[in-house]
Amino acid sequence: MSIITELESLRDSALERISQAADLAALDAVRVDVLGKKGSLTGVLRGLGALSAEERPAVGKVSNEVRAALEQALEERKALLAEAALSARVAADAVDVTLPGRKRLPGRAHLINQITAEVVDIFTGLGYAIAEGPEAELDYYNFTALNHPPTHPARSATDTFYVRDLSEGGASGPITDVLLRTHTSPVQVRVLEQQKPPVYVLAPGRVYRRDIADPSHLPQFHQIEGLVVDEGITFGDLKGTLDYVCKELFGKDRKTRFRPHFFPFTEPSAEVDVSCGICAGSGCRFCKYTGWQEILGCGMVDPNVFGYVDIDPEVYTGFAFGMGVERIAALRYDIPDLRMLVEGDMRFLRQF
Ligand code: DAH
């Protein structure tokens, strides 16, 4: 085979490989194979020195043409592949601007906090101040100063969460005089220790009881305590105040009733019920088939409580009340199970 034919076949096969190169790396491999230092065309050209002076110009011309043709083909293919690589990347990175955006739902207060704020609003409108006390409370404030005898059943470790002294016997160490408050009533004592009458305070807060969660109980829930101490306060003031508040909270179509009851720290005491909104008073599981839902306890402050805080019961009288916020929520919105309030299901909570 003449050297010219050899050059031509080398060119044809190289052009074929160039046109087949699938990407820039493959194309560069072809370039190195043909035009590189140890490439096939380079090898052929090295043999030119052995040619006669007559042959050399013709072969030299063809070999220059072959080299130029291959360089041009490489250049063109390179541009094509670079363009394709760019288009592929643009396609991969493309953003579909016609897709609907992600909906961002604005945050809001939990129903329990909404109702608490509403009750706070009603009472601050009546001139009450807001008071707070600790959730980890002393036995003294939670029970003793609220006139609970040492044997009162609420003091039992099956009803109340007590803090144990772990330094003595670990998890079964002795209970201490610290507990998780079972009601917001201890705030009454703390306020009366700090402040002389007239006292008009509202104390919202979290409370704890060793109850198993069920449709009408939670081991942690919220109460709002009220306390009024002044000269000449009567049970009529208590009834008038709570009548007004119940109308504000539940509307005119819900009925309320005062039922005599007993609390160690009030005398006389009463419970206030609101007609059940789930069964409209005919009886259902939630109201234990009574047609009524208890929402608060109340009464006239027991003179024994005044004794603990050094207030003269001959001069001052007072009333107090404590309401369950979860119960108010359930009554207002016909929530059949209090656990729904703490399960965090946004489909439920967003309704409010
Ligand atoms: N502390 C009571 C409870 O948790 C509720 C209560 C009843 C509060 C009577 C009061 C009250 O202030 O006077 O069940």
Side-chain angles (χ1 to χ4, degrees):
M1 189 162 58
S2 84
I3 197 157
I4 289 188
T5 331
E6 200 182 327
L7 280 167
E8 282 168 354
S9 94
L10 192 152
R11 179 197 62 200
D12 293 346
S13 75
L15 285 175
E16 175 70 13
R17 284 183 66 197
I18 289 167
S19 72
Q20 306 269 302
D23 55 34
L24 291 170
L27 186 66
D28 202 52
V30 177
R31 184 187 61 78
V32 172
D33 273 0
V34 182
L35 301 179
K37 269 199 196 111
K38 293 174 189 156
S40 43
L41 181 63
T42 318
V44 174
L45 296 182
R46 232 174 244 137
L48 283 185
L51 292 178
S52 63
E54 299 83 61
E55 281 174 311
R56 217 176 282 153
V59 174
K61 182 166 176 272
V62 172
S63 62
N64 281 337
E65 284 166 3
V66 168
R67 168 180 278 276
L70 291 180
E71 276 172 353
Q72 190 190 340
L74 280 166
E75 230 18 75
E76 282 170 8
R77 183 79 187 151
K78 189 174 171 181
L80 202 82
L81 288 175
E83 167 95 27
L86 181 65
S87 315
R89 214 170 64 224
V90 167
D93 290 351
V95 172
D96 182 352
V97 294
T98 68
L99 277 176
R102 261 181 221 142
K103 209 173 185 178
R104 279 177 197 271
L105 293 159
R108 74 182 81 170
H110 188 280
L111 178 58
I112 292 302
N113 293 337
Q114 289 181 35
I115 290 176
T116 302
E118 201 179 314
V119 175
V120 164
D121 252 24
I122 294 171
F123 279 95
T124 48
L126 293 174
Y128 286 56
I130 304 303
E132 279 183 319
E135 290 174 28
E137 182 57 284
L138 289 169
D139 180 294
Y140 174 79
Y141 290 106
N142 197 82
F143 292 128
T144 307
L146 288 168
N147 202 32
H148 287 68
T151 53
H152 193 280
R155 301 185 101 135
S156 108
T158 55
D159 283 20
T160 298
F161 292 108
Y162 284 92
V163 172
R164 287 183 183 276
D165 183 350
L166 298 183
S167 69
E168 283 179 55
S172 56
I175 59 171
T176 65
D177 58 355
V178 179
L179 46 76
L180 296 183
R181 68 180 178 189
T182 59
H183 50 181
T184 42
S185 303
V187 182
Q188 291 186 33
V189 183
R190 288 182 172 274
V191 166
L192 294 178
E193 273 185 351
Q194 299 289 317
Q195 199 187 323
K196 291 295 137 205
V199 166
Y200 290 78
V201 293
L202 193 74
R206 208 174 270 141
V207 301
Y208 303 81
R209 290 189 195 169
R210 290 191 69 166
D211 282 325
I212 305 287
D214 73 15
S216 53
H217 296 84
L218 293 175
Q220 183 208 65
F221 57 102
H222 298 77
Q223 286 188 337
I224 300 176
E225 191 81 12
L227 173 69
V228 168
V229 180
D230 205 345
E231 288 180 46
I233 297 295
T234 67
F235 199 89
D237 296 316
L238 170 62
K239 261 195 111 171
T241 304
L242 294 179
D243 272 348
Y244 167 74
V245 171
C246 287
K247 286 199 175 89
E248 289 286 303
L249 278 176
F250 298 104
K252 310 244 179 318
D253 51 330
R254 292 278 179 94
K255 286 181 248 160
T256 60
R257 68 174 185 188
F258 281 68
R259 211 164 14 81
H261 200 74
F262 174 81
F263 295 103
F265 42 95
T266 44
E267 184 58 34
S269 306
E271 273 187 341
V272 177
D273 297 341
V274 177
S275 57
C276 180
I278 292 174
C279 62
S282 63
C284 66
R285 185 173 71 124
F286 194 67
C287 63
K288 298 203 183 89
Y289 304 95
T290 63
W292 295 93
Q293 266 300 325
E294 171 212 326
I295 49 154
L296 61 85
C298 62
M300 302 304 290
V301 179
D302 193 299
N304 289 344
V305 174
F306 284 150
Y308 281 100
V309 291
D310 217 18
I311 287 176
D312 186 352
E314 298 298 326
V315 180
Y316 296 106
T317 50
F319 67 72
F321 58 86
M323 58 180 94
V325 185
E326 281 75 2
R327 278 176 191 274
I328 295 172
L331 284 166
R332 277 219 339 209
Y333 299 107
D334 301 342
I335 298 168
D337 192 326
L338 298 185
R339 291 171 294 189
M340 295 164 88
L341 292 164
V342 288
E343 278 164 354
D345 184 336
M346 294 308 285
R347 292 167 301 182
F348 169 72
L349 292 174
R350 266 195 206 112
Q351 301 173 87
F352 307 108

